[in-house]
Amino acid sequence: MPILEKFILHWKKNFSPLLPPDTSVLLAVSGGLDSVVMTDLFVQAKIPVTIAHVNFQLRGDESIRDEKFVEALGAFYQVPVLTKIVETQAFATEHKCSIQEAARTLRYQWFHELLSPAKGPALIATAHHANDSLETLLLNFFRGTGIAGLHGILPIQGKIIRPLLFARKEELTYYAIEKNLSWVEDSSNESDKYTRNYFRHQLLPSLEKIFPAVQDNLLENISRLREVEQLYQEAIKNYKKKLLKKAGTHWVLSILQLKKTNALPTILWEILQPFHFTAGQLPSIIQLLDAQNGALVLSDTHRIIKDRKLLLIAPIATTTTHLHLLPEGTKQVTTPFGDLQIEQINSPHFTLSQSPLIATIDVSKIVYPLKLRPWKTGDYFYPLGMQKKKKVARFLMDQKLSKIDKEKLLLLENGDQRIIWVVGKRIDDRFKITNHTKSILRIEWKEQQ
């Protein structure tokens, strides 16, 4: 079947439903063979398009040549052309990333800015073809990846579509020659210093000498792996639903359930990845299953805490939130404004302190995990010696605290969301020690000087 017919069938089946009426497709055109063929196919198929070209200023006169060529291409096909010059090298230096990463970021950032919800470009089309997808599979495989890295280039990612993935490079080249199309060559494509070019020029030709059908086999594997990934993601979804439970502002994992789970490292990785934990931390996280209470592992944003038969996942305290989760057995908590020292005394014989910096709490009334957090509007408690509740805001007003002192004030909250202590000020009457108290939690606040 001619490639134009294949393209039209492929478009109608996979992409046409995504394009709203009276809108167009934004074609990412570099001027190379692939993007020129893509442009011609869209025009021949009578699909409305707008051409977009980015001048990355990386190849001197070649970059200027490419920009002028794309403008002429648009004039030839009588379609709109949008161009933009970007400072790729400066962006890479500022953001400490590779040139390739900088170019990709700048390109797609601009493309998305060009999308219009009404009567403008609604989709972004790139000229990636089957060979590009195959090379991506190999790159990810040799770098090391999960199953998601083995599906090659996806045909649809949000507003980005890849309508040429059905075609091999050879088909595109034959079409361009048969149609007498003109294009420009990027000299950097001939350099093997880029890993993708090395695969294209060295690795795959060497493999074809041993396995002549290697490219066909790998492309078939990509198709199979996409189906496998769908089954995998469905299984992961079920595991997450079964294992991960939301509890207020934190999440809970049952240690007993985790120990019964097959392929635990893989399942944990999928569960914890959204909390910014890394694959290298998995051994330490698995060790938490048999660690002492209070043991933890940190990511950039969250922490996992061993709390008896549970693993708790909670945000890391910051200078803006000051949120700390205290599982049973916690001995000390450090905050930007001071430290809590915690001690459990299993004896009814205890001398009470009169200092507001020391709270003595009836252990039998505590529900773990405790939470140390800033106060907020609407909080209330029952101040020691009072039988009626009082808004924390009113209590602080009566204490005549300054605005700065109020901003630094923390509350110790019970696991059932009742306030135990306005830290350093007053405990809640419901948690006080009585004649029936057998075990005491002594908490001392040492304010930072």
Side-chain angles (χ1 to χ4, degrees):
M1 182 186 295
I3 190 172
L4 177 58
E5 292 182 28
K6 289 168 66 176
F7 171 79
I8 292 173
L9 288 175
H10 192 61
W11 171 262
K12 289 181 177 178
K13 178 182 178 181
N14 299 289
F15 306 110
S16 181
L18 303 177
L19 190 65
D22 300 322
T23 60
S24 63
V25 181
L26 187 72
L27 303 184
V29 179
S30 66
L33 183 147
D34 305 336
S35 61
V36 168
V37 169
M38 178 178 70
T39 303
D40 191 80
L41 290 172
F42 269 91
V43 172
Q44 299 304 326
K46 296 181 171 29
I47 301 169
V49 298
T50 298
I51 290 175
H53 174 80
V54 181
N55 181 345
F56 297 106
Q57 300 189 92
L58 295 174
R59 293 178 288 112
D61 292 340
E62 268 194 18
S63 295
I64 299 173
R65 175 207 66 182
D66 294 354
E67 183 179 346
K68 291 181 178 179
F69 174 84
V70 172
E71 289 175 341
L73 186 72
F76 175 79
Y77 286 114
Q78 296 184 324
V79 297
V81 177
L82 304 171
T83 62
K84 184 172 185 177
I85 299 174
V86 296
E87 302 290 339
T88 313
Q89 184 65 63
F91 183 92
T93 301
E94 180 183 354
H95 293 84
K96 299 179 181 179
C97 61
S98 67
I99 290 293
Q100 291 82 2
E101 185 179 352
R104 175 181 172 80
T105 300
L106 290 168
R107 177 169 65 243
Y108 284 109
Q109 182 179 358
W110 182 53
F111 289 165
H112 279 94
E113 289 173 359
L114 294 175
L115 295 183
S116 172
K119 297 187 177 182
L123 297 172
I124 302 164
T126 69
H128 292 98
H129 48 75
N131 296 68
D132 292 321
S133 188
L134 186 155
E135 292 162 7
T136 297
L137 164 68
L138 293 175
L139 277 167
N140 290 338
F141 181 81
F142 287 113
R143 284 172 180 159
T145 181
I147 193 168
L150 301 179
H151 57 213
I153 299 174
L154 294 175
I156 301 171
Q157 285 183 294
K159 297 294 183 180
I160 302 172
I161 60 172
R162 280 82 180 219
L164 300 187
L165 287 179
F166 71 92
R168 297 273 293 274
K169 178 71 173 184
E170 293 83 352
E171 294 180 86
L172 302 181
T173 302
Y174 179 81
Y175 180 85
I177 294 173
E178 184 183 43
K179 294 274 293 183
N180 198 28
L181 302 179
S182 298
W183 65 88
V184 292
E185 295 287 353
D186 183 342
S187 60
S188 66
N189 286 336
E190 300 303 315
S191 173
D192 287 345
K193 73 176 183 178
Y194 300 112
T195 306
R196 188 178 289 273
N197 287 351
Y198 174 79
F199 283 178
R200 186 178 303 160
H201 301 147
Q202 303 293 333
L203 180 61
L204 283 169
S206 297
L207 288 172
E208 286 179 323
K209 293 178 182 178
I210 305 172
F211 305 104
V214 64
Q215 293 199 36
D216 289 333
N217 292 339
L218 286 173
L219 289 172
E220 288 179 8
N221 286 339
I222 286 176
S223 178
R224 295 190 193 100
L225 287 167
R226 284 180 183 167
E227 293 180 357
V228 170
E229 185 188 5
Q230 290 177 356
L231 297 174
Y232 173 85
Q233 293 298 345
E234 187 64 31
I236 291 299
K237 181 180 177 181
N238 291 333
Y239 271 110
K240 285 184 176 180
K241 185 176 180 180
K242 175 183 175 182
L243 297 173
L244 188 64
K245 307 296 182 184
K246 190 78 165 61
T249 58
H250 63 281
W251 292 260
V252 175
L253 291 166
S254 165
I255 290 175
L256 181 61
Q257 284 184 312
L258 289 175
K259 286 186 173 182
K260 292 180 179 180
T261 300
N262 294 324
L264 181 59
T266 298
I267 302 301
L268 266 181
W269 162 245
E270 294 291 351
I271 289 175
L272 298 176
Q273 191 177 1
F275 301 105
H276 303 102
F277 290 93
T278 66
Q281 292 178 297
L282 282 175
S284 298
I285 293 169
I286 292 173
Q287 288 177 5
L288 287 179
L289 302 182
D290 298 305
Q292 294 181 344
N293 278 344
L296 56 82
V297 176
L298 301 175
S299 74
D300 290 338
T301 58
H302 288 77
R303 54 183 173 167
I304 305 177
I305 307 168
K306 168 69 177 295
D307 181 30
R308 293 176 292 182
K309 298 180 181 180
L310 301 174
L311 293 185
L312 308 179
I313 307 172
I316 291 176
T318 69
T319 54
T320 54
T321 62
H322 318 310
L323 178 63
H324 295 262
L325 207 62
L326 283 63
E328 186 175 9
T330 300
K331 302 296 183 184
Q332 180 173 328
V333 180
T334 299
T335 79
F337 307 131
D339 298 340
L340 283 183
Q341 302 287 341
I342 305 170
E343 177 186 9
Q344 183 165 327
I345 302 170
N346 297 316
S347 171
H349 306 294
F350 180 78
T351 303
L352 293 177
S353 171
Q354 300 301 313
S355 171
L357 299 177
I358 298 176
T360 48
I361 308 300
D362 190 330
V363 170
S364 67
K365 299 172 183 177
I366 291 175
V367 178
Y368 287 101
L370 305 180
K371 185 190 296 181
L372 186 66
R373 64 168 178 83
W375 72 280
K376 60 181 184 293
T377 302
D379 283 332
Y380 68 88
F381 75 127
Y382 291 76
L384 183 64
M386 294 180 61
Q387 300 303 310
K388 293 183 179 180
K389 67 182 180 182
K390 190 170 191 175
K391 289 283 185 70
V392 171
R394 183 65 198 182
F395 174 79
L396 298 181
M397 188 182 300
D398 292 345
Q399 294 286 307
K400 298 182 180 179
L401 297 183
S402 69
K403 185 176 185 299
I404 299 299
D405 288 334
K406 288 181 182 179
E407 290 175 352
K408 296 192 297 183
L409 192 84
L410 301 174
L411 301 180
L412 186 63
E413 186 180 276
N414 203 31
D416 59 10
Q417 298 186 331
R418 294 185 298 168
I419 293 173
I420 296 175
W421 187 25
V422 178
V423 176
K425 304 300 176 184
R426 190 82 57 85
I427 70 167
D428 188 292
D429 193 80
R430 294 169 293 180
F431 296 88
K432 68 183 178 183
I433 293 171
T434 69
N435 293 332
H436 302 290
T437 299
K438 295 181 179 179
S439 187
I440 296 166
L441 198 68
R442 181 185 186 276
I443 312 173
E444 183 173 0
W445 173 247
K446 294 187 176 180
E447 193 170 6
Q448 188 177 36
Q449 300 299 320

